[in-house]
Amino acid sequence: MVLAAAATALLVGLAALAGPAPRAREVLRNAARRTSLDAPQGRALLGLHLFGVALGVPLALGLAPGTLIGLLGCLAACTLARGLLSGGEEGARRVAAAPAAWFAVLAWSVSAAVLRYGSPDLGAALGAQAVLGPGPLLGPPAAAASSTLAGIAALAAAAAWVTRLPRLHATGEAGALDEVLRWGEAALAGASAAALAWGPSLGALVHGPAPGGAVPRAAASLLLTCCAVAGTSALRRWLDALSGRAVLLAAAAGALASLGAAGAAWPGGQ
Amino acid sequence: MTAAAYLFPAAAALGALGSGRVGPGRGLAPWALGLAAFAAAIGREPLLAPLALFAVATTAAVATAARGRGDPRSAALLALSDLALAAALTLHHESTTLWSLPVAGGWAWPAGLLAAGAAGLRLGASGRDAGGWGALGWWQGALVAWWVGGAGWPVLVAGAAWLLVLGAVRARRGRPDVGPAVAGSLVALVAAAGAGPLPLAALGLAGAAFAAGERVVAGSALGLLPVSAAALAVQRGPGEVPLGALLAVAAGLPVAWAALLHHLPPAAPAPGWRTAVVAAAAAGGSLATLAQVPGQAPWIAYGALAALLGADLLSVRAPVREVAAAPPTPPEEPSRPASVVAVAALALAGGLQVRLLVLGLGTSFL
């Protein structure tokens, strides 16, 4: 758990440094104990959001046992908490602007990356990656291409999801708290998108004896995860031009195609 | 059936008392009779018994709608569900010549699909009628969904999709019963993967609490509980869970959640003690489910501790504010076609029950 906390702090710190806010330390100082949330059950909702990040990042990195559905549930918890903390007023009329739509695309892409290995259990996917390598380099060309497509769709959806989450309704330093929450969301979304698409992640070095070649693979995965988190946070500056309906439909189509291909590749060929 | 199946009527009782729709002076006695009939249906043979006992809630819902105090659409859904269930049990008897209840997964083709359809229809019932019959019917649907399990997974998945559409339509009309529709879709999806009664009952209570205005516990249960339910189902062995069901759950759950998130009802007033009790029961069921998944409990505690510390560090307690009461729910518009469908379906279901009775009397089924 200490490693999980450290990894979460590392990724959140990267998201803070890469984000659009110029002085991350000042933002953090402003966010501490100065904001009163307007929504009913506001503090509890904030806790729900933080729970999603705190549990989701270790799940994505393979440090905590769990299933794919658990990771998606953490993303859902963050989205729900954000929606309720915004007072529900920023319900976007355009589907492409709605964070829920991008959440669905991110969920499908992450599902495709995990189900590629024949089980929704994250530990099983991690173990398979430790032996066989990451999905985009594995197997017949069609399966490798669908893994790559899932990874690209996941990264696009992760960045769009973080950007499209509604702003907080609060009194005090609402802007600072909003920015801090987005660091956590970028860490969670970037880790979910990258660590599972290009594994084995850090958890391979923690659970059981690592097979030969797993250490450099895990190091590469961690580096890629860090880049994905930083990129997810940095892209917020320019994302308005990149996340229209056409991009949403293309990402959704790619994610669903990858999910179908992952299912078709299961043992037994059901 | 296992003793755990009685969780469904128990949760129905808790949900109804928590909603305040039944109680002293609010038709408690007839509703209690309906609940007793629901509980009595569990594990009863011959097949005629569960059919007749389920129909108590349907008959009351149709009668309430006919007097203008109920939801005719909800009554129609319950009646159509009774018809589908009657057809399913009839087909099951004709395929197997048995009068015994099929256990989870023991349904004969295509009876299992019809029973799954019955579950999906019941999960679309709302609790807006006076007397809470729609909500009681909802819980009967959750029982049938568990009862069918993976045997009817294609229809359960289709039912989940239909329930999501229903939830979206209700949200656009400003109705408060979006929570039960979305909870119903989650119940159908997770039942398709073979989840047990405990997580399904907890999901139902979370839906009821969400509809009553509780957000944190209900929202976290709706978001995170399918976790453990699906994990427990997979633990029984990947070969026991149909691949199609797993793929449908992986693709459908994000859509269910996205639908709930996109159509969030407006900020609700602070929930009362009744809703808090229902939410606490949902939380208890969730924690009990989590405890069955090996290795997960310490990490849940880790996440909860991080959440508590973070919330304390990042926010201050808000001053107590007067929260405006929720606007009164507009009365349900009378729908003649729905009323006609309800009565006709109930009559047909009754006819099938009579046919089964006549067949049974010719054997030694009693």
Side-chain angles (χ1 to χ4, degrees):
Chain A
M1 286 183 190
V2 172
L3 184 57
T8 306
L10 169 69
L11 293 179
V12 170
L14 274 172
L17 290 172
R23 295 189 198 87
R25 196 174 292 185
E26 193 176 316
V27 169
L28 189 59
R29 203 170 25 241
N30 288 340
R33 286 208 173 111
R34 293 187 186 186
T35 309
S36 163
L37 295 158
D38 289 342
Q41 301 178 291
R43 269 187 129 190
L45 287 169
L46 176 63
L48 178 63
H49 182 284
L50 297 172
F51 177 86
V53 174
L55 184 59
V57 171
L59 279 175
L61 295 178
L63 297 170
T67 66
L68 166 69
I69 314 267
L71 178 59
L72 301 185
C74 291
L75 288 164
C78 288
T79 315
L80 174 70
R82 267 288 198 169
L84 293 169
L85 284 171
S86 73
E89 290 177 19
E90 289 194 39
R93 294 301 118 200
R94 293 186 305 125
V95 174
W102 289 105
F103 158 76
V105 175
L106 177 59
W108 291 332
S109 311
V110 170
S111 302
V114 174
L115 292 176
R116 170 91 199 277
Y117 296 96
S119 169
D121 184 66
L122 295 175
L126 184 69
Q129 288 171 335
V131 174
L132 302 171
L137 302 180
L138 179 66
S146 81
S147 286
T148 307
L149 186 62
I152 294 170
L155 286 171
W161 175 71
V162 174
T163 305
R164 295 302 181 188
L165 286 169
R167 296 189 64 80
L168 297 181
H169 276 217
T171 49
E173 295 286 346
L177 181 57
D178 183 273
E179 183 65 22
V180 169
L181 293 185
R182 286 189 202 272
W183 297 342
E185 290 148 5
L188 174 60
S192 303
L196 293 167
W198 195 285
S201 54
L202 202 56
L205 306 179
V206 173
H207 300 298
V215 173
R217 285 178 185 156
S221 172
L222 183 60
L223 184 62
L224 203 67
T225 302
C226 291
C227 292
V229 168
T232 299
S233 196
L235 272 175
R236 286 166 46 201
R237 290 187 183 90
W238 305 293
L239 209 62
D240 272 338
L242 298 174
S243 58
R245 183 182 295 189
V247 178
L248 173 67
L249 288 174
L256 281 173
S258 305
L259 188 59
W266 271 39
Q270 290 194 45
Chain B
M1 290 195 196
T2 69
Y6 289 97
L7 278 172
F8 291 107
L14 187 59
L17 293 173
S19 72
R21 284 194 175 272
V22 291
R26 289 189 181 135
L28 179 61
W31 182 84
L33 202 65
L35 180 69
F38 176 20
I42 294 171
R44 290 294 173 269
E45 298 168 4
L47 295 175
L48 187 64
L51 280 179
L53 294 170
F54 268 28
V56 170
T58 310
T59 308
V62 171
T64 308
R67 292 203 304 269
R69 297 180 62 218
D71 182 351
R73 294 177 185 86
S74 182
L77 286 174
L78 292 181
L80 286 169
S81 170
D82 272 356
L83 180 58
L85 191 59
L89 291 175
T90 304
L91 274 175
H92 179 80
H93 167 67
E94 287 179 359
S95 302
T96 63
T97 70
L98 297 174
W99 287 106
S100 56
L101 281 176
V103 296
W107 289 83
W109 170 269
L113 297 183
L114 269 174
L121 286 166
R122 269 192 140 76
L123 288 169
S126 72
R128 300 183 70 206
D129 55 290
W133 298 109
L136 187 61
W138 190 98
W139 283 103
Q140 289 174 336
L143 170 75
V144 176
W146 165 72
W147 192 12
V148 174
W153 75 264
V155 177
L156 280 175
V157 169
W162 170 76
L163 286 162
L164 285 179
V165 171
L166 186 66
V169 168
R170 285 177 179 173
R172 285 189 176 275
R173 290 180 183 173
R175 286 172 55 159
D177 51 349
V178 176
V182 177
S185 75
L186 290 171
V187 164
L189 267 178
V190 182
L198 180 60
L200 296 181
L203 273 173
L205 287 171
F210 195 90
E214 204 287 325
R215 292 290 182 257
V216 178
V217 174
S220 55
L222 291 172
L224 297 171
L225 187 55
V227 171
S228 307
L232 284 171
V234 168
Q235 267 188 311
R236 293 203 305 269
E240 291 195 32
V241 181
L243 166 65
L246 270 177
L247 275 179
V249 169
L253 268 177
V255 178
W257 285 328
L260 175 66
L261 298 169
H262 189 57
H263 292 288
L264 279 176
W273 68 268
R274 288 172 181 270
T275 308
V277 167
V278 175
S286 306
L287 290 171
T289 305
L290 285 169
Q292 296 178 54
V293 181
Q296 202 164 327
W299 287 96
I300 299 294
Y302 161 82
L305 184 62
L308 281 169
L309 288 173
D312 188 58
L313 281 171
L314 291 173
S315 69
V316 295
R317 196 174 296 276
V320 175
R321 292 193 181 91
E322 273 292 319
V323 182
T329 307
E332 191 66 37
E333 291 173 14
S335 167
R336 191 175 176 81
S339 302
V340 170
V341 167
V343 172
L346 193 58
L348 279 170
L352 278 173
Q353 289 176 16
V354 169
R355 177 175 176 272
L356 274 177
L357 179 64
V358 168
L359 275 174
L361 287 172
T363 69
S364 57
F365 83 133
L366 284 173

